Amino acid sequence: MPENNNKYKKIGVLTSGGDSPGMNAALRAVVRTCNYYDINCYGIRMGYDGLINDHIVELGPRSVKNLINKGGTELKSARSEEFRTVEGRKKAAETIKKHGIEALVVIGGDGSFTGAMKLYEEQGVPFIGIPGTIDNDIFGTDYTVGYDTALNTVAEAIDKIRDTATSHNRVFFIEVMGRDAGFIALNTGIATGALDILIPEEKDSIEDLFQSFDNAKKKGKTSSIIVVAEGDKLGGVYDLAKFTKMKYPEFDVRVTVLGHIQRGGSPTVADRVLASRLGVAAVEGLIDGRCCVMAGMQSSKIVFTPIEEAIKKHNEIDKELIKVSNILSMQ
Ligand SMILES: Nc1ncnc2c1ncn2[C@@H]1O[C@H](COP(=O)(O)OP(=O)(O)O)[C@@H](O)[C@H]1O
Ligand SMILES: O=P(O)(O)OC[C@H]1O[C@](O)(COP(=O)(O)O)[C@@H](O)[C@@H]1O
Ligand SMILES: [Mg+2]
């Protein structure tokens, strides 16, 4: 029998915040690792709402069969307003106590980790986080679970838009997800040969955008794709399209908002492997007595990062990527 130093007998697992492809693979890994170490695993449905409302089911290795390839989250997710209150978190702690759950694995993003930290500080419930969000906006891991799948979904969609953009000599503004982060926009922009990429981390100006159009005209380009992160500060895609049309009345401008298709679909191999490794690491981390950390992957190695750092610090946008995009798009 493998060693379970911390003597945990019951661990709960939940998915919270925006779902992401690979959350199911992480769940499967957590459940099966618990079983390996002779720990009973409890699935909490609907994120923190499930803790508050006692929606808890015991999960064994067979309960997570046929899940590794499925998008979404079998446990379901929620953005729980009640959990943001001290009262809500008290109710959550009562449910945890009632079931004898001793620690949690929280699969989610920065918001979910903030909530878990408060639950620990106020109610003493230990936890380890697994970064599950398409946004890749969490410090302490090179990639979050779901990001790679989202990149591929976006690239496939933009490739299709390129076909019609080229056929009609059109300019397309394409909005991709990322409330506060430009990772999806920057990487898919490079991958799809965007003329310009607008992200919240960079100070863009409309003049810079117009300069890209002027340059494209000079180079003889007849259609263009501009990838815009949802959280870009310059304005939304519709305003950008309007201003562009005002400046260049001869342009045939269209807008596509890719929206929630970016969050669905079967996870890529990279996401499945990442989720599986982090799921095992999270349970083993708890067994080793770790708390209030996030299991992440840096340079292909498991790294545990204090949750405050994971939330507060930010993965910097790699300036080299911006340079690559600029060099390649302006030729
Ligand atoms: N400051 C906070 N205090 C307590 N709970 C929070 C806080 N921020 C987020 N949460 C909880 O975590 C949930 C998920 O957070 P959210 O920001 O929506 O997604 P993500 O975890 O993907 O970033 C919220 O709905 C809420 O229940
Ligand atoms: O599905 P919702 O609630 O409309 O949220 C949309 C947001 O969720 C995300 O897809 C993921 O964000 P989180 O991981 O923080 O939940 C963002 O990119 C997007 O802005
Ligand atoms: Mg978030």
Side-chain angles (χ1 to χ4, degrees):
M1 174 62 58
E3 240 180 302
N4 173 357
N5 301 323
N6 216 30
K7 307 281 183 265
Y8 281 132
K9 284 284 154 223
K10 292 184 176 183
I11 285 178
V13 56
L14 60 85
T15 52
S16 168
D19 62 342
S20 69
M23 277 186 165
N24 279 327
L27 168 69
R28 169 182 178 270
V30 168
V31 171
R32 292 194 173 177
T33 309
C34 280
N35 193 64
Y36 178 75
Y37 287 106
D38 202 22
I39 295 167
N40 293 338
C41 191
Y42 291 82
I44 298 143
R45 299 181 65 78
M46 300 295 296
Y48 291 126
D49 278 344
L51 276 184
I52 293 169
N53 301 314
D54 195 2
H55 288 160
I56 294 185
V57 282
E58 190 165 352
L59 299 172
R62 294 279 73 69
S63 339
V64 289
K65 67 181 179 188
N66 296 335
L67 269 194
I68 193 157
N69 56 338
K70 274 200 187 151
T73 162
E74 202 68 6
L75 282 179
K76 296 187 183 279
S77 190
R79 299 201 196 271
S80 168
E81 281 313 307
E82 200 175 349
F83 193 77
R84 290 178 181 273
T85 66
V86 176
E87 269 315 301
R89 293 194 290 275
K90 254 191 208 157
K91 280 196 212 164
E94 280 160 21
T95 308
I96 290 169
K97 208 167 156 201
K98 179 178 145 191
H99 289 273
I101 293 170
E102 298 148 300
L104 293 177
V105 175
V106 173
I107 306 169
D110 52 346
S112 303
F113 295 164
T114 307
M117 196 63 209
K118 288 193 179 173
L119 188 68
Y120 173 74
E121 285 164 353
E122 292 164 11
Q123 305 290 340
V125 181
F127 76 96
I128 284 192
I130 294 178
T133 166
I134 63 163
D135 286 359
N136 206 38
D137 58 347
I138 297 181
F139 181 83
T141 190
D142 294 341
Y143 302 108
T144 56
V145 172
Y147 172 62
D148 185 66
T149 308
L151 290 181
N152 283 285
T153 303
V154 170
E156 195 186 330
I158 298 181
D159 285 349
K160 288 179 175 150
I161 293 170
R162 173 181 283 280
D163 289 346
T164 179
T166 312
S167 304
H168 284 267
N169 288 345
R170 281 177 173 160
V171 171
F172 266 86
F173 284 89
I174 302 173
E175 184 193 279
V176 300
M177 276 189 169
R179 235 185 325 220
D180 310 302
F183 294 100
I184 294 178
L186 183 54
N187 285 280
T188 59
I190 291 174
T192 59
L195 175 70
D196 212 340
I197 304 167
L198 305 179
I199 55 175
E201 293 87 344
E202 285 290 294
K203 264 203 182 139
D204 300 300
S205 72
I206 197 86
E207 287 74 29
D208 291 340
L209 176 65
F210 291 164
Q211 214 175 341
S212 300
F213 284 131
D214 291 340
N215 182 57
K217 276 199 331 185
K218 269 192 219 133
K219 301 276 176 183
K221 297 188 184 186
T222 51
S223 67
S224 313
I225 283 162
I226 314 296
V227 177
V228 185
E230 188 187 1
D232 180 61
K233 307 227 169 30
L234 194 54
V237 272
Y238 292 102
D239 279 346
L240 290 168
K242 194 171 80 188
F243 297 140
T244 301
K245 186 72 187 165
M246 279 157 65
K247 167 95 174 161
Y248 304 96
E250 72 279 19
F251 281 7
D252 198 2
V253 182
R254 292 291 186 275
V255 169
T256 302
V257 176
L258 290 184
H260 285 79
I261 63 160
Q262 295 165 87
R263 287 241 294 267
S266 179
T268 57
V269 169
D271 271 330
R272 294 181 200 191
V273 174
L274 176 68
S276 299
R277 292 181 70 183
L278 296 184
V280 173
V283 175
E284 289 188 338
L286 284 172
I287 289 171
D288 289 343
R290 293 180 198 272
C291 173
C292 317
V293 293
M294 181 192 77
M297 189 75 63
Q298 289 178 344
S299 305
S300 259
K301 295 270 173 292
I302 297 286
V303 175
F304 292 97
T305 301
I307 218 76
E308 279 105 337
E309 274 184 49
I311 300 164
K312 289 200 185 107
K313 289 193 184 169
H314 288 287
N315 281 338
E316 296 294 318
I317 285 285
D318 188 342
K319 297 277 180 208
E320 191 238 352
L321 291 181
I322 293 173
K323 186 186 82 177
V324 166
S325 166
N326 287 340
I327 289 176
L328 299 181
S329 65
M330 77 177 51
Q331 304 312 311

